[in-house]
Amino acid sequence: MDNVEKILKELNLTGDEYKKITGYIGREPNITELWIFSAMWSEHCSYKSSRPYLKRMPSSGKDVLIGPGENAGVVSIGDGLAVVFKMESHNHPSFIEPYNGAATGVGGILRDIFTMGARPVAILDSLRFGEPDDDKMKYLIDGVVAGIAGYGNCMGIPTVGGEIYFDAAYKDNILVNAMAVGVVPDDRIFLAKASGAGNPVFYVGSKTGRDGIHGATMASASFTDETAVLKPTVQVGDPFMEKLLMEACLELMKTNHIVAIQDMGAAGLTSSSVEMAAKGGLGIEIDLDKVPQREEAMLPYEIMLSESQERMLLIAKKGHEKAVEAVFRKWNLDVSQIGRLIESPEIIVKANNRVQARLPLTVLVDEAPVYTRYARMPVSVTTTATTNASEEIPEPKDYDSIFIQLLSSPTIGSKRWAYEQYDHSVGTDTVIKPGADAALIRIKGTRKGIAITTDGNSRYTYLSPYAGSGIAVCEAARNIACIGARPLAVTDCLNFGNPENPDVMWQFIESINGITSACLAMGIPVVSGNVSFYNETEGTSIYPTPVIGMVGIMDTLRERITPDFKDNGDSIILLGETLDECGGSEYLKLVTGKISGRPPRVSPEMEKRVIDLLHAMNKMHMVKSASDCSEGGLAVTVARCAIAGNKGAKLNMQWRYRPDLELFSESQHRIIITAAHKHVDKIKKMAQQNDIACKMIGMVGGRRLIVNNRVSVSVEDLRNAYHRGL
């Protein structure tokens, strides 16, 4: 093969990897085979820098039915039902072409859910952008939000929650993480594990084009200043076609016609065929001439690597071919038998009446390289994360003004502008809508609900990846608890820079350790997830950004809690201890412009006690409202509760620290609750028995939020400030 070095560079393969390939197969690969290797051995598909570390995370538990390794994780929720969920990234495509990048990210994660037999019931997103006053960033924000809305709305699946953060660290690398959740009978779960040599292989869905051919390799490399040339690697989605595909697949899954199914996501036909056959210990033979194509003269490697959307690969039972074809034709979808399973564990690709590729599956899957990258603590951690940030903050002369500025900052302010573009009520099962600590979805035919949230604070993880990642787990669990549900399991999306950079690799390992420790301590397994490396441009990396998606269960919807203040005269109670912890806080950034200091301390054991206490009090019908303290601290939490309930409050604080540091500290493991005054003594006693700090700090009532002699702002002004953030 001529120009090997040029081709390897294009395919993001190293010279050493090429030598391994030739050694494994005993010859030089042809161009089609080399493209197949480039996809299967890419970071995106093989996890060659992260695989050993991901195994550290706990993935089993009494409710776990399927853990990592399948299209999505599956957890039992009783009554013969299971919840299926997964989170994935679509960062590079969304920066290159925001609408289609975000839209196809949603489409891909939805296919991960219904390919397992589950009907999707909810979508969430976790987004990171640069500062929103930049013209290019406005274009990216508009496009991403419109793409998420356009795809989810057309599919008829509600987008019910998520988060949006803004920081200059994402100026050249935005993050678009999408999560989807579905429900399935626990005895009708479908896997991507082929079985039965001789069984036919079917291609179903849209036709194959040239879009997305470089998708997996592009997602496994850093950006340069020539990103515009990558636009052809961004797939174009058609949500109406995906709706048809979903309904056809779910209809077929009610029969006994299929044995395995896999969506064509990253690396398209290559990864779906290789992975299904390899999991079953079989081989696969494919005839590319039978693949439905929408473009002329497509080369074999283009067909194999295309990431055209809305496509599935399935293994049918031999003799059931006509029944399978009938279902997809009914839904007006392309369906074609393109191959069969074979005994020999290899992939054979044919086109134009000749073999275009013949490769052993064990080499493509099991022999993908695993790199032990050099890891080194960044200088930023040793210089900035050891200082007390509070010493850099001057006490404000005007508390009202600084409070209003904090409440209206883009990261803290209301995301109503975004979520009002989403149809979050379609399906009529959304019980708690966007804007609360977590979303709540009714499970039809039962009294139960599914609680869902996403969480992650990259400023904390920049300063301390271990603490910041543990905080993300704790806050996600606290979000679930604050609406009255019990945390069940985690999916994650781990967004980092170039793993070949020792600083980045250290951040990644520390983040894995932080998630692992928190999940073990709280008894919450990690059942699915995604790693996104190479989020950097010209050597400048994003902040380490692990995002936690969490699902919880509510036994009866009558137990739900909302954050809004309910009745005048109710007592406002703070569970948990406020410390002088402004490192990495929104307050520090607002006043000094810095991201520095020690992030808040994290104790998963304390978090679990606080959550368990809230559950116990809720079971006793003592809790009227609840909301967790997070970005912006206690003052912002109380303001949000006041805005949601359209009621003021008067707080009488006993200052342990300087007032502003206590009001805006972002100490963890804290929840603001309200309760009838008659329950206060009982609540305090229960907290004391569980060694949890508990203070009555004020009372609901009036039209203003008043804090001692420091703050006095009308609820109307709070609302106006909060809703002008975007």
Side-chain angles (χ1 to χ4, degrees):
M1 188 165 47
D2 297 330
N3 300 317
V4 171
E5 289 186 6
K6 181 181 178 181
I7 294 171
L8 292 180
K9 184 177 180 181
E10 179 185 0
L11 300 185
N12 204 24
L13 287 167
T14 68
D16 286 342
E17 288 171 345
Y18 184 72
K19 288 178 182 177
K20 287 182 179 180
I21 290 169
T22 58
Y24 283 135
I25 67 175
R27 57 179 171 81
E28 286 195 348
N30 62 40
I31 189 64
T32 300
E33 292 171 331
L34 198 57
W35 273 83
I36 291 172
F37 268 106
S38 77
M40 294 307 300
W41 282 20
S42 69
E43 188 76 60
H44 193 72
C45 291
S46 74
Y47 288 71
K48 56 190 175 186
S49 298
S50 60
R51 217 183 314 165
Y53 305 102
L54 297 174
K55 293 178 181 178
R56 297 178 182 179
M57 294 191 285
S59 59
S60 60
K62 65 181 181 64
D63 298 317
V64 177
L65 299 180
I66 296 174
E70 272 294 336
N71 288 291
V74 185
V75 179
S76 172
I77 54 175
D79 295 326
L81 297 173
V83 59
V84 181
F85 60 105
K86 174 82 174 290
M87 182 187 292
E88 282 198 344
S89 61
H90 230 223
N91 303 333
H92 284 48
S94 299
F95 183 73
I96 297 166
E97 210 293 280
Y99 184 93
N100 279 307
T104 53
V106 171
I109 197 65
L110 289 174
R111 289 195 300 280
D112 281 341
I113 302 305
F114 69 76
T115 195
M116 299 193 72
R119 178 170 291 278
V121 296
I123 301 166
L124 295 90
D125 55 56
S126 180
L127 312 176
R128 302 292 185 279
F129 297 107
E131 300 295 349
D133 54 357
D134 176 78
D135 285 342
K136 181 178 180 181
M137 200 53 56
K138 290 177 183 177
Y139 159 74
L140 291 172
I141 295 168
D142 283 345
V144 166
V145 172
I148 293 169
Y151 210 99
N153 292 356
C154 291
M155 285 286 292
I157 300 167
T159 301
V160 297
E163 54 180 9
I164 309 177
Y165 285 76
F166 300 91
D167 196 282
Y170 304 100
K171 176 178 180 293
D172 296 314
N173 283 268
I174 66 173
L175 301 184
V176 176
N177 295 175
M179 177 178 173
V181 181
V183 176
V184 64
D186 59 18
D187 61 350
R188 297 296 296 170
I189 299 167
F190 284 80
L191 305 180
K193 181 179 179 180
S195 64
N199 276 336
V201 177
F202 277 92
Y203 171 116
V204 300
S206 295
K207 288 181 169 63
T208 293
R210 288 189 170 92
D211 48 326
I213 288 173
H214 260 297
T217 51
M218 180 265 286
S220 304
S222 302
F223 277 149
T224 67
D225 58 3
E226 299 175 343
T227 55
V229 302
L230 295 173
K231 277 206 171 188
T233 67
V234 179
Q235 311 94 324
V236 178
D238 181 349
F240 299 104
M241 182 65 75
E242 178 129 334
K243 172 67 171 173
L244 297 176
L245 180 63
M246 179 180 73
E247 297 299 343
C249 288
L250 292 177
E251 178 178 323
L252 188 65
M253 288 167 173
K254 294 177 181 178
T255 70
N256 65 341
H257 300 317
I258 60 175
V259 295
I261 185 168
Q262 171 78 49
D263 79 291
M264 294 189 215
L269 183 55
T270 292
S271 61
S272 56
S273 58
V274 167
E275 290 172 3
M276 271 208 296
K279 285 178 182 178
L282 295 169
I284 190 167
E285 186 177 272
I286 295 173
D287 184 348
L288 298 184
D289 294 335
K290 296 180 180 179
V291 172
Q293 299 166 45
R294 67 169 183 262
E295 298 186 45
E296 295 182 359
M298 290 188 71
L299 297 173
Y301 79 82
E302 292 178 316
I303 300 171
M304 288 297 293
L305 273 295
S306 168
E307 293 184 11
S308 294
Q309 295 293 286
E310 295 87 42
R311 302 179 303 158
M312 290 279 192
L313 194 69
L314 64 87
I315 311 297
K317 292 180 180 178
K318 193 171 184 178
H320 294 238
E321 292 88 346
K322 290 184 178 179
V324 170
E325 291 172 355
V327 170
F328 288 99
R329 287 188 179 130
K330 168 190 168 183
W331 290 96
N332 204 25
L333 294 164
D334 277 296
V335 54
S336 176
Q337 184 179 334
I338 66 168
R340 64 189 181 93
L341 296 179
I342 57 178
E343 290 283 0
S344 177
E346 59 184 342
I347 181 170
I348 301 172
V349 180
K350 298 179 179 179
N352 303 317
N353 295 316
R354 58 186 290 263
V355 173
Q356 303 289 338
R358 182 190 292 265
L359 295 169
L361 295 182
T362 53
V363 172
L364 289 170
V365 177
D366 300 330
E367 301 300 335
V370 176
Y371 294 118
T372 303
R373 307 283 191 188
Y374 175 54
R376 174 188 60 209
M377 181 186 292
V379 174
S380 61
V381 173
T382 58
T383 57
T384 66
T386 56
T387 60
N388 183 357
S390 301
E391 296 173 357
E392 303 186 44
I393 303 174
E395 184 172 6
K397 295 179 181 179
D398 185 344
Y399 273 73
D400 288 358
S401 175
I402 203 74
F403 184 28
I404 288 293
Q405 290 180 58
L406 190 61
L407 197 59
S408 62
S409 67
T411 289
I412 285 182
S414 170
K415 307 307 183 294
R416 185 176 63 178
W417 170 83
Y419 65 68
E420 283 190 345
Q421 297 184 52
Y422 308 146
D423 188 343
H424 45 72
S425 296
V426 64
T428 69
D429 290 326
T430 307
V431 179
I432 295 181
K433 300 176 182 180
D437 294 285
L440 182 63
I441 299 293
R442 174 189 297 107
I443 304 173
K444 280 188 169 72
T446 76
R447 301 166 62 197
K448 296 180 176 181
I450 302 171
I452 325 164
T453 191
T454 61
D455 198 85
N457 185 313
S458 57
R459 293 177 184 171
Y460 297 162
T461 46
Y462 167 70
L463 298 170
S464 171
Y466 182 91
S469 299
I471 286 171
V473 174
C474 288
E475 188 175 340
R478 196 159 66 247
N479 287 338
I480 295 290
C482 280
I483 66 166
R486 172 174 58 88
L488 270 183
V490 159
T491 182
D492 58 45
C493 202
L494 309 178
N495 307 273
F496 289 81
N498 187 340
E500 299 162 51
N501 179 334
D503 291 2
V504 170
M505 202 63 213
W506 182 87
Q507 293 170 334
F508 178 77
I509 295 169
E510 283 291 289
S511 180
I512 291 287
N513 292 340
I515 293 170
T516 298
S517 295
C519 287
L520 284 171
M522 300 181 72
I524 304 174
V526 180
V527 298
S528 61
N530 172 245
V531 177
S532 174
F533 278 133
Y534 295 98
N535 292 288
E536 69 168 28
T537 296
E538 298 294 327
T540 300
S541 174
I542 62 164
Y543 286 156
T545 311
V547 177
I548 298 296
M550 190 176 289
V551 165
I553 188 69
M554 186 178 295
D555 294 328
T556 170
L557 295 177
R558 289 180 297 180
E559 294 177 350
R560 67 185 180 274
I561 313 170
T562 54
D564 48 303
F565 287 156
K566 301 296 190 300
D567 298 305
N568 292 334
D570 283 346
S571 296
I572 302 172
I573 299 165
L574 172 63
L575 300 178
E577 186 177 18
T578 301
L579 302 172
D580 176 6
E581 294 182 310
C582 289
S585 69
E586 191 70 21
Y587 181 47
L588 176 72
K589 177 68 163 57
L590 175 67
V591 175
T592 70
K594 295 180 179 179
I595 309 297
S596 62
R598 292 185 298 270
R601 277 155 279 193
V602 57
S603 170
E605 294 81 7
M606 174 59 75
E607 187 69 64
K608 189 173 188 308
R609 293 209 306 273
V610 171
I611 287 173
D612 289 346
L613 174 62
L614 179 62
H615 277 303
M617 294 189 301
N618 190 38
K619 291 285 187 183
M620 298 170 68
H621 309 292
M622 292 192 292
V623 180
K624 287 192 176 183
S625 72
S627 188
D628 82 298
C629 292
S630 54
E631 286 83 9
L634 182 152
V636 166
T637 302
V638 173
R640 285 171 168 165
C641 296
I643 294 166
N646 196 29
K647 293 183 183 296
K650 184 174 183 180
L651 304 188
N652 294 299
M653 304 292 294
Q654 295 179 353
W655 307 118
R656 182 177 174 184
Y657 307 103
R658 210 173 72 193
D660 60 322
L661 304 182
E662 193 155 342
L663 287 173
F664 308 131
S665 163
E666 295 185 4
S667 291
Q668 297 298 298
H669 323 308
R670 296 182 301 161
I671 299 174
I672 293 288
I673 68 169
T674 58
H677 187 69
K678 65 181 180 180
H679 294 310
V680 172
D681 289 343
K682 177 66 172 176
I683 289 171
K684 287 182 177 179
K685 184 177 180 180
M686 291 175 68
Q688 184 179 22
Q689 290 170 344
N690 288 277
D691 196 23
I692 295 170
C694 178
K695 293 180 182 177
M696 177 180 167
I697 60 172
M699 185 176 295
V700 174
R703 302 300 306 160
R704 304 182 73 80
L705 174 55
I706 300 170
V707 185
N708 295 30
N709 60 346
R710 303 284 178 171
V711 173
S712 179
V713 184
S714 71
V715 174
E716 182 179 359
D717 286 345
L718 293 175
R719 180 181 294 105
N720 291 338
Y722 185 56
H723 288 305
R724 72 168 176 251
L726 284 182

